[in-house]
Amino acid sequence: MWTYAYESGQVKAPIYEDVVKALKRWNEAEVPVYIYSSGSVQAQKLLFNYTAAGNLIDYISGYFDTKTGMKQDSDSYIRISDSIGFKYDEIMFLTDVAGEANAAELAGLRACLVVRPGNAPLSNEASEQFSIIKTFDVLFCDDGALSEVETVELSGEETDIKNTATATESVDELIEIIPEKKIKL
């Protein structure tokens, strides 16, 4: 049913404009992007093939779902890191769920929380533990290069954002993993 709805054009997956720009920039810089979602790999491919911004499938290097493991289990991130061939600390993981960010950090990945309208509020602990961004635009310098350190204003507090990451789209459980490859930071 979902396949028909997407293929017929009746359904288009919403996606944030800054995510589309980021995917294109990472693609130009040859930075691979991976999705880890509680939705099936098939569902992820449908979403990225039929977005409101068009087909974005070519910007995604690979997909992972809960067959890899639960998203709040650090072993899942170790399995993903091992399967894509990057060291744990070479990967930035972006999510809107603090428990997932914590599991990724426990596995040795860098993690950042993405705050979007409609997300559940963050605990004080999560706000202090993780870098927080509201848009992927802060991940790039004006010349399009990846930003090393940016400061983002969030609820009156400044939060340092280090290095690179990518985004969720409006479907909250979509998460991308981006190894920092061929980018001097």
Side-chain angles (χ1 to χ4, degrees), residues 29 44 46 54 57 78 92 100 122 131 137 143:
Q44 295 172 51
L46 273 174
I57 268 286
I78 292 170
M92 173 60 83
E100 295 171 1
L122 296 176
S131 296
D137 292 337
D143 64 0

Side-chain angles (χ1 to χ4, degrees), residues 1-3 8 20 26 29-30 40 56 59 66 70 72 86 89 93 106 121 126 134-135 137 150 155 170 172 174:
M1 180 168 78
W2 280 109
T3 302
S8 69
V20 176
W26 282 309
E30 298 181 14
S40 70
L56 301 176
Y59 298 105
T66 54
M70 300 310 293
Q72 294 194 27
F86 287 89
D89 64 352
F93 178 73
L106 287 173
K134 295 193 293 185
T135 175
D137 292 337
E150 291 286 335
S155 302
S170 60
D172 287 341
L174 289 183

Side-chain angles (χ1 to χ4, degrees), residues 38 40 62 82 84-85 89 91 108 113 116 142 146 151 165 180:
S38 56
S40 70
D82 291 346
I84 63 176
D89 64 352
I91 299 170
L113 289 172
R116 299 286 190 173
D142 289 338
L146 292 172
T151 301
E180 296 174 324

Side-chain angles (χ1 to χ4, degrees), residues 111-124:
C112 181
L113 289 172
V114 181
V115 175
R116 299 286 190 173
N119 284 16
L122 296 176
S123 69
N124 289 338

Side-chain angles (χ1 to χ4, degrees), residues 26 29-34 59-61 86 177-181:
W26 282 309
E30 298 181 14
V31 175
V33 176
Y34 296 86
Y59 298 105
I60 310 299
S61 300
F86 287 89
I177 301 170
I178 302 175
E180 296 174 324
K181 181 179 176 188

Side-chain angles (χ1 to χ4, degrees), residues 98 113 115 121-132 154 157 159:
L113 289 172
V115 175
L122 296 176
S123 69
N124 289 338
E125 181 182 336
S127 297
E128 293 172 7
Q129 181 179 355
F130 300 104
S131 296
I132 300 169
L154 181 68
E157 298 177 19
T159 305

Side-chain angles (χ1 to χ4, degrees), residues 14-172:
I15 188 161
Y16 294 109
E17 184 178 321
D18 61 299
V19 174
V20 176
K21 289 191 302 187
L23 288 173
K24 290 177 179 180
R25 286 175 159 178
W26 282 309
N27 184 265
E28 289 171 9
E30 298 181 14
V31 175
V33 176
Y34 296 86
I35 307 297
Y36 180 24
S37 174
S38 56
S40 70
V41 168
Q42 180 185 4
Q44 295 172 51
K45 289 180 178 181
L46 273 174
L47 287 170
F48 281 95
N49 197 23
Y50 298 100
T51 75
N55 183 343
L56 301 176
I57 268 286
D58 291 339
Y59 298 105
I60 310 299
S61 300
Y63 302 85
F64 298 92
D65 58 22
T66 54
K67 289 179 183 174
T68 301
M70 300 310 293
K71 292 176 68 183
Q72 294 194 27
D73 179 356
S74 61
D75 290 339
S76 301
Y77 300 89
I78 292 170
R79 283 190 282 281
I80 290 170
S81 300
D82 291 346
S83 74
I84 63 176
F86 287 89
K87 296 176 186 172
Y88 308 135
D89 64 352
E90 293 178 325
I91 299 170
M92 173 60 83
F93 178 73
L94 280 121
T95 181
D96 60 351
V97 178
E100 295 171 1
N102 190 56
E105 275 196 351
L106 287 173
L109 281 65
R110 291 174 295 141
C112 181
L113 289 172
V114 181
V115 175
R116 299 286 190 173
N119 284 16
L122 296 176
S123 69
N124 289 338
E125 181 182 336
S127 297
E128 293 172 7
Q129 181 179 355
F130 300 104
S131 296
I132 300 169
I133 62 171
K134 295 193 293 185
T135 175
F136 289 176
D137 292 337
V138 301
L139 301 171
F140 298 92
C141 299
D142 289 338
D143 64 0
L146 292 172
S147 171
E148 184 171 344
V149 177
E150 291 286 335
T151 301
V152 178
E153 189 77 19
L154 181 68
S155 302
E157 298 177 19
E158 289 187 351
T159 305
D160 283 340
I161 307 300
K162 295 180 172 68
N163 298 324
T164 177
T166 185
T168 65
E169 61 167 41
S170 60
V171 178
D172 287 341

